[in-house]
Amino acid sequence: MARGGPRLDHGRRRELGQSFQDGGRHYQQVRPGYPAESARWLVPSGARDALDVGAGTGKFTELLLDLGLSVAAVDPSADMLAQLAEHVPAATAVLGIAEATGLPDAAFDVVTVAQAWHWCDALRASTELARVLRPHGTLGLVWNQLDTSVPWVHRLSRIMHAGDVYKPGHRPLIGPEFGALEDHLTHWQDSVTTGDLMELTKSRSYYLRAGEATRAKVLANLDWYLHEHLGHGPDEELELPYLTLAWRAVRA
């Protein structure tokens, strides 16, 4: 099975994941959303109830609600869930983790995990999410990543330390409770200013865990790259290319 992207042991995964416990308002403001196409592809026909795990501030949760689903949203950060409750009040916010949601057996038709599966213990989370899914329910895994096939974006990702960029052929690990993974790819663009990119960098786990000297170096390098090397103005709007990678598997 091909692998790519971040390779973290359990301790490092927990350490980096803790960096998102606070700063929910900033995360909500600067992180991109997801293309509706990805949500439509993941959600099976006839689904009524969805669980969004690692929901953060609700950026993917909102797409599930737009599809007419009843949605519960689980996240380990009370700060993130406060933002979710403000921006998507129709969802039921639940404090919890993928490995132990605390939710009833066989309660959902689809469970989604957007931009969070790499923070989970994949096998333990698979067991738990299979438990809360109904028979033949769907597990959906989603990642946004910068489209590093575009040369200027590839260098940008290196400067930002955008570590969750997966190589072609990557397939996420899931437990034996699920059948074969199917995959889907969406190309899209996000309209941002160079100031937005500076703020986006500040929301990355690498930056959040870094010391002041490292943070200053990252921002200085980014300022030079965007404004001097590429020659963009501070208020200039750019089209930032993204890929959204999605996988789905049915509960066996």
Side-chain angles (χ1 to χ4, degrees):
M1 181 178 291
R3 291 281 192 269
R7 297 185 181 185
L8 306 172
D9 62 29
H10 182 66
R12 182 61 173 156
R13 184 167 53 238
R14 285 182 62 85
E15 177 189 355
L16 290 173
Q18 287 296 315
S19 64
F20 296 107
Q21 285 293 317
D22 301 313
R25 186 172 299 277
H26 185 253
Y27 189 101
Q28 170 64 23
Q29 290 170 346
V30 304
R31 283 296 183 106
Y34 300 87
E37 175 187 329
S38 297
R40 289 194 298 267
W41 180 79
L42 283 176
V43 174
S45 176
R48 304 184 310 276
D49 302 297
L51 172 61
D52 192 21
V53 174
T57 63
K59 290 181 177 288
F60 199 80
T61 311
E62 186 171 11
L63 295 180
L64 298 174
L65 289 166
D66 289 344
L67 291 174
L69 299 169
S70 174
V71 184
V74 167
D75 198 89
S77 167
D79 188 59
M80 291 284 190
L81 288 179
Q83 291 296 310
L84 184 145
E86 179 179 337
H87 291 281
V88 281
T92 301
V94 179
L95 196 64
I97 59 176
E99 298 86 349
T101 64
L103 295 169
D105 292 353
F108 301 98
D109 301 304
V110 59
V111 174
T112 58
V113 186
Q115 216 72 21
W117 191 246
H118 52 293
W119 302 125
C120 304
D121 180 317
L123 297 181
R124 287 178 57 211
S126 293
T127 299
E128 171 67 359
L129 301 184
R131 181 186 67 79
V132 301
L133 275 169
R134 295 181 178 123
H136 310 297
T138 297
L139 172 66
L141 308 178
V142 185
W143 278 269
N144 273 338
Q145 68 176 47
L146 297 173
D147 186 354
T148 56
S149 68
V150 180
W152 78 267
V153 179
H154 181 265
R155 190 167 183 181
L156 175 71
S157 74
R158 299 290 296 273
I159 295 170
M160 292 174 62
H161 291 266
D164 49 347
V165 174
Y166 292 93
K167 296 176 182 178
H170 168 75
R171 295 177 73 79
L173 175 65
I174 58 173
E177 297 86 356
F178 294 95
L181 282 165
E182 299 177 84
D183 60 87
H184 183 269
L185 178 65
T186 304
H187 293 259
W188 63 286
Q189 294 184 326
D190 192 28
S191 295
V192 296
T193 64
T194 57
D196 293 332
L197 288 176
M198 302 290 276
E199 292 303 314
L200 179 62
T201 298
K202 294 177 185 178
S203 78
R204 309 293 309 187
S205 60
Y206 177 87
Y207 182 90
L208 292 170
R209 298 295 298 180
E212 288 302 318
T214 299
R215 289 183 177 191
K217 182 178 179 180
V218 168
L219 294 180
N221 288 342
L222 189 58
D223 179 59
W224 168 84
Y225 181 61
L226 293 171
H227 299 128
E228 295 185 40
H229 183 72
L230 294 179
H232 295 301
D235 297 319
E236 183 179 348
E237 194 164 272
L238 312 176
E239 294 300 315
L240 181 61
Y242 273 96
L243 304 176
T244 297
L245 293 71
W247 288 268
R248 68 186 179 195
V250 174
R251 179 176 180 255

